[in-house]
Amino acid sequence: MLEAFGLDTRTEAVYRGMLESTSGGIAGLAARVGTTESQVRETLDLLVELGLLTPSREAAGGLRAVSLEAGLAHLLRRQEEEIARRHHALAAGKAAAVRALAQYATLCPATEQDGNERLVGLDAIQGRLEILTRDLREECLSIIPGGAQSEASLEASRPLDEQALSRKVRMRAVYQDSIRNDPATMAYAQWTTERGGEVRTSPVLPARLLIFDRRTALVPIDPDNSRLGALCTTSPGIVATLTALFEQTWDAAVPLGTAREHAPEGGINPGEQELLRLLASGMTDEAAGKRLGVSMRTVRRQMATLMERLEATSRFEAGLNAARRGWL
């Protein structure tokens, strides 16, 4: 029942046992939950760390269970703090990646400088991808923003992905949540998982990113200006920064087969919250849709639904009401 809060079966059983009774000590608790005394001691330490157990005021050196209501409230706060920490780390990673790449915008095409090469044109990028995939040995990491992918992009990726997966290369990819509404992209992601790849999704993603064996990275120099081309880099500092950005993005995403959490009664789900945040920051519908990988029509439809739920007659009023409810 408490798996959603990160508690495994044994931890939940020990917590439940402590809620029911503290008599019998460690031995009695171990017998009631069907585990060993040493495992009970380890679990008790974890429950103390989680804030679900606290020192007893009656039994010296003993512990008592925090009430279920207070315990769940504490676990929710921990999760919210962890999500906030991840978002902060992700924002910092994005900023670091942007700084690391900015200096290469003026690098001449087809020239290499300190392990960095600027590739211009789809043919040059595809050619380099073929070489990198051929030499791939252990792992390929990718961030694929933009929601629905074009048929041409999917077809160009299929033989390269199939080649790597057939050699048991570990492949991890993060798409935007909006691919769940695009049959072709969703089918491709499922095709990847059926062959051993791992796929997750997130409402908002940083720029497109490919990392090969944690040694070589391929990224757009400027996601808003494709004419500048892509940067292929083996610079250890840049690759390490981009790898950290991928891991932060991966940790904040959910597996492809996992449904995004629906909004609780009177609440808001992560995708809706991200839309509100983007629009509240001053983004236009078009820009917000681009960040979320959805059409401007979808943005307006979702916003109309949110305004109705917020009982707002304008977006300004919707923002105020959302802030009052703690949605922003």
Side-chain angles (χ1 to χ4, degrees):
M1 185 174 68
L2 300 181
E3 287 182 357
F5 297 95
L7 273 66
D8 59 28
T9 304
R10 186 176 74 198
T11 306
E12 181 177 350
V14 172
Y15 176 53
R16 185 188 296 271
M18 289 291 291
L19 281 171
E20 293 170 350
S21 172
T22 57
S23 63
I26 298 291
L29 183 56
R32 291 200 303 277
V33 302
T35 187
T36 66
E37 293 184 28
S38 64
Q39 288 176 328
V40 166
R41 288 190 178 89
E42 291 176 3
T43 306
L44 290 175
D45 289 340
L46 175 59
L47 289 168
V48 170
E49 182 183 337
L50 291 173
L52 297 178
L53 296 183
T54 190
S56 171
R57 298 179 65 180
E58 296 178 359
L63 296 170
R64 69 172 180 86
V66 173
S67 70
L68 182 60
E69 182 180 3
L72 291 180
H74 181 71
L75 290 176
L76 280 171
R77 284 196 300 273
R78 284 176 61 99
Q79 285 192 335
E80 289 170 351
E81 290 168 0
E82 175 62 17
I83 290 171
R85 185 195 65 77
R86 287 183 178 181
H87 277 295
H88 178 74
L90 186 55
K94 289 179 183 178
V98 169
R99 290 194 300 270
L101 295 174
Q103 59 182 302
Y104 296 103
T106 57
L107 184 65
C108 294
T111 59
E112 187 171 340
Q113 177 180 310
D114 299 326
N116 304 289
E117 182 179 0
R118 179 179 164 195
L119 306 172
V120 178
L122 292 177
D123 288 343
I125 294 172
Q126 184 67 20
R128 181 53 55 87
L129 285 174
E130 291 170 358
I131 293 172
L132 290 170
T133 303
R134 182 196 65 197
D135 296 337
L136 191 57
R137 293 293 176 265
E138 298 173 2
E139 183 181 48
C140 182
L141 313 174
S142 57
I143 293 175
I144 309 169
Q149 303 295 299
S150 69
E151 183 178 347
S153 176
L154 295 176
E155 288 307 309
S157 299
R158 189 181 298 273
L160 301 180
D161 289 348
E162 190 166 27
Q163 181 186 137
L165 289 166
S166 68
R167 299 200 307 271
K168 306 302 180 184
V169 169
R170 186 185 184 193
M171 299 191 68
R172 289 192 284 159
V174 188
Y175 291 84
Q176 285 194 269
D177 282 349
S178 52
I179 71 159
R180 297 167 188 263
N181 301 318
D182 181 67
T185 309
M186 190 68 177
Y188 188 87
Q190 290 171 334
W191 173 86
T192 303
T193 61
E194 288 167 2
R195 284 156 180 77
E198 301 169 63
V199 176
R200 292 187 179 184
T201 68
S202 180
V204 176
L205 293 177
R208 187 175 295 267
L209 166 64
L210 284 166
I211 301 174
F212 300 84
D213 288 331
R214 300 187 180 233
R215 296 187 182 92
T216 304
L218 193 66
V219 289
I221 289 177
D222 183 349
D224 296 323
N225 185 0
S226 59
R227 287 177 298 178
L228 289 178
L231 176 71
C232 181
T233 178
T234 57
S235 173
I238 297 178
V239 174
T241 298
L242 294 172
T243 301
L245 175 60
F246 172 86
E247 294 294 355
Q248 291 159 6
T249 305
W250 179 262
D251 288 343
V254 299
L256 182 67
T258 303
R260 270 284 174 190
E261 183 180 339
H262 294 295
E265 186 176 352
I268 187 171
N269 66 35
E272 292 170 333
Q273 187 173 43
E274 191 61 37
L275 173 59
L276 279 175
R277 189 188 68 78
L278 292 175
L279 294 177
S281 70
M283 275 195 180
T284 63
D285 289 356
E286 184 178 6
K290 186 176 180 181
R291 287 288 303 276
L292 293 168
V294 298
S295 68
M296 189 163 58
R297 179 181 298 177
T298 298
V299 169
R300 289 174 176 169
R301 176 176 53 78
Q302 291 177 344
M303 196 59 207
T305 301
L306 285 169
M307 287 176 64
E308 183 178 350
R309 287 167 55 193
L310 288 163
E311 301 177 346
T313 57
S314 68
R315 291 196 176 186
F316 178 75
E317 185 181 4
L320 290 177
N321 292 348
R324 290 192 186 104
R325 296 189 188 192
W327 291 5
L328 288 174

